[in-house]
């Protein structure tokens, strides 16, 4: 007899919790200085967060710089999780500390999804294969890891920061809390403007996996780095996906290779959960050089000088090729 998707989702979460010993418990009350908040029903909520970074070997030195600047500038998060593929675990263990843990993706993702050397890249890159999903690349699986970690940790908020980010100024993750609500990054009506073709695809696929019939495409954009999600809402989202699809959420999300985890979460919170437990914010805390060519010293200095007052970090997309030594020198790390 088939087991309903909702029951499978709850059973999977319970099984994951039974294997949670490798994951540090939240230290919010004793180590981060965060207090207890009361939600509308009077239930206490700890205003704590976990930093979450998905990375891979080619970005190791950038991730090292991120960790150094996190330790120097970031407060209000009781732990930092680095999510990497199996073969990169030993390398990233160098970055572990009392408040930082490396997590093997095999502890997060289903056993039927495995990585192999990709012959189309002369075996220099990896490809993730299974009988339940189309072939996936590293950027697909990094998104799946970022979603899956919510099933394994105790912190009530997850703060996502890419491994090619460096903090330049102090930042307290309390900025993601307003009373007992978590800040949802959203650019209102951004997709009504031209030049967002990929976002339209991601938004349409988010609607499909969530079972939303209309609107097919949201007008809002939810994609950025240094953003926060509510852990309980992620778990509700996964239960919704499994209920709609009748499949494991990884299988359902991966079925459409062009997906955005931020778009799925944003549309779930706004259109299914009715915004419960969240407030909106459009300010970007990280200034990112998304595309183009590597910056010269002068261009980099101008890029930093033009940071807005609320921005505390910079991101240099690693594939652009900006020299890491220059970044480290200019950020003073």
């Amino acid at each position: 007899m088939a087991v309903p998707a909702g029951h499978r989702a709850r059973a999977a979460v319970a099984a994951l919790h039974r294997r949670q010993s490798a994951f540090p418990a939240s230290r919010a009350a004793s180590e981060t200085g965060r207090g207890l908040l009361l939600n509308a029903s009077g239930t206490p909520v700890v205003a704590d967060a976990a930093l979450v970074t998905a990375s891979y070997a080619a970005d190791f030195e950038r991730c090292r710089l991120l960790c150094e600047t996190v330790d120097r500038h970031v407060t209000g998060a009781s732990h930092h999780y680095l999510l990497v593929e199996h073969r990169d675990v030993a390398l990233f263990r160098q970055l572990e500390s009392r408040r930082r843990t490396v997590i093997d993706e095999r502890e997060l993702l289903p056993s039927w999804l495995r990585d192999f050397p990709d012959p189309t890249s002369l075996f220099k890159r990896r490809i993730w294969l299974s009988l339940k999903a189309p072939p996936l690349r590293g950027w697909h699986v990094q998104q799946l890891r970022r979603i899956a970690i919510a099933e394994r940790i105790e912190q009530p908020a997850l703060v996502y920061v890419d491994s090619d980010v460096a903090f330049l100024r102090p930042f307290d993750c309390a900025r993601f809390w307003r009373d007992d609500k978590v800040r949802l990054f959203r650019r209102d009506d951004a997709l009504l403007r031209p030049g967002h073709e990929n976002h339209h695809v991601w938004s349409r696929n988010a609607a499909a996996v969530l079972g939303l019939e209309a609107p097919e495409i949201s007008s809002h954009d939810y994609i950025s780095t240094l953003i926060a999600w509510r852990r309980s809402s992620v778990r509700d989202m996964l239960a919704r996906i499994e209920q709609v699809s009748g499949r494991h959420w990884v299988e359902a999300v991966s079925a459409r290779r062009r997906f955005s985890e931020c778009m799925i979460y944003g549309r779930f919170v706004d259109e299914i959960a009715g915004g419960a437990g969240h407030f909106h914010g459009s300010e970007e805390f990280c200034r990112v050089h998304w595309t183009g060519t590597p910056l010269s010293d002068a261009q980099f200095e101008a890029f930093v000088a033009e940071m807005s007052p609320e921005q505390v970090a910079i991101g240099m997309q690693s594939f652009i090729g900006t020299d890491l030594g220059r970044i480290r020198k200019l950020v003073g790390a």
Side-chain angles (χ1 to χ4, degrees), residues 65-328:
L65 178 59
L66 166 68
C67 293
E68 291 173 5
T69 61
V70 163
D71 293 343
R72 182 183 307 174
H73 292 298
V74 178
T75 56
S78 60
H79 211 78
H80 186 187
Y81 295 95
L82 305 179
L83 317 180
V84 302
E85 62 184 272
H86 179 70
R87 66 172 183 164
D88 292 341
V89 169
L91 173 65
F92 279 83
R93 292 279 190 217
Q94 301 175 60
L95 305 180
E96 286 195 323
S97 67
R98 185 169 60 91
R99 293 192 179 183
R100 180 170 296 112
T101 303
V102 174
I103 305 298
D104 188 333
E105 69 174 29
R106 294 186 179 182
E107 293 295 314
L108 300 173
L109 302 178
S111 59
W112 46 259
L113 182 63
R114 285 290 180 261
D115 62 298
F116 299 90
D118 181 8
T120 66
S121 67
L122 299 178
F123 305 102
K124 294 179 181 179
R125 298 180 180 179
R126 311 293 283 182
I127 189 168
W128 280 255
L129 302 174
S130 77
L131 297 177
K132 299 185 178 184
L136 302 176
R137 299 293 182 182
W139 63 85
H140 296 119
V141 180
Q142 285 196 12
Q143 294 184 69
L144 298 177
R145 293 180 208 148
R146 286 193 283 260
I147 298 172
I149 189 65
E151 296 187 300
R152 299 298 303 275
I153 63 174
E154 296 181 358
Q155 289 85 356
L158 301 92
V159 174
Y160 295 94
V161 56
D162 294 340
S163 58
D164 49 14
V165 166
F167 284 86
L168 307 186
R169 300 169 180 167
F171 182 75
D172 188 347
C173 292
R175 293 176 70 177
F176 290 114
W177 289 94
R178 178 183 294 170
D179 298 326
D180 66 326
K181 296 182 178 181
V182 173
R183 182 183 193 265
L184 174 64
F185 175 79
R186 190 177 83 178
R187 294 188 190 93
D188 289 355
D189 296 330
L191 302 194
L192 298 180
R193 299 189 286 272
H196 293 88
E197 289 78 12
N198 285 330
H199 290 66
H200 289 179
V201 175
W202 298 328
S203 185
R204 182 183 299 111
N205 286 340
V209 79
L210 291 170
L212 289 168
E213 295 184 1
E216 183 182 29
I217 298 174
S218 168
S219 64
H220 306 314
D221 181 19
Y222 301 93
I223 301 173
S224 190
T225 189
L226 193 48
I227 59 175
W229 292 359
R230 195 180 194 99
R231 182 197 61 185
S232 60
S233 296
V234 182
R235 294 180 175 185
D236 290 344
M237 177 185 77
L238 299 185
R240 165 76 179 197
I241 292 172
E242 295 200 342
Q243 180 184 28
V244 167
S245 68
R247 297 182 287 176
H248 191 285
W249 69 265
V250 170
E251 184 180 356
V253 170
S254 302
R256 296 169 177 82
R257 295 183 75 248
R258 298 180 67 183
F259 62 87
S260 161
E261 83 281 32
C262 294
M263 200 69 77
I264 297 171
Y265 182 78
R267 295 203 66 176
F268 172 81
V269 169
D270 276 346
E271 299 174 53
I272 295 175
H278 295 77
F279 68 97
H280 295 113
S282 60
E283 299 84 6
E284 295 187 78
F285 296 144
C286 181
R287 178 167 166 78
V288 182
H289 182 47
W290 290 107
T291 59
T293 58
L295 302 181
S296 66
D297 284 353
Q299 290 172 324
F300 188 94
E301 290 172 357
F303 181 85
V304 173
E306 292 167 4
M307 292 171 65
S308 59
E310 70 271 7
Q311 291 177 331
V312 298
I314 58 169
M316 296 282 112
Q317 285 287 331
S318 56
F319 59 79
I320 293 176
T322 300
D323 179 68
L324 182 62
R326 174 185 294 156
I327 299 173
R328 179 175 285 277

Side-chain angles (χ1 to χ4, degrees), residues 33-49:
R34 302 267 67 83
L36 291 177
L37 303 174
L38 297 180
N39 62 22
S41 64
T43 303
V45 176
V46 179
D48 184 25

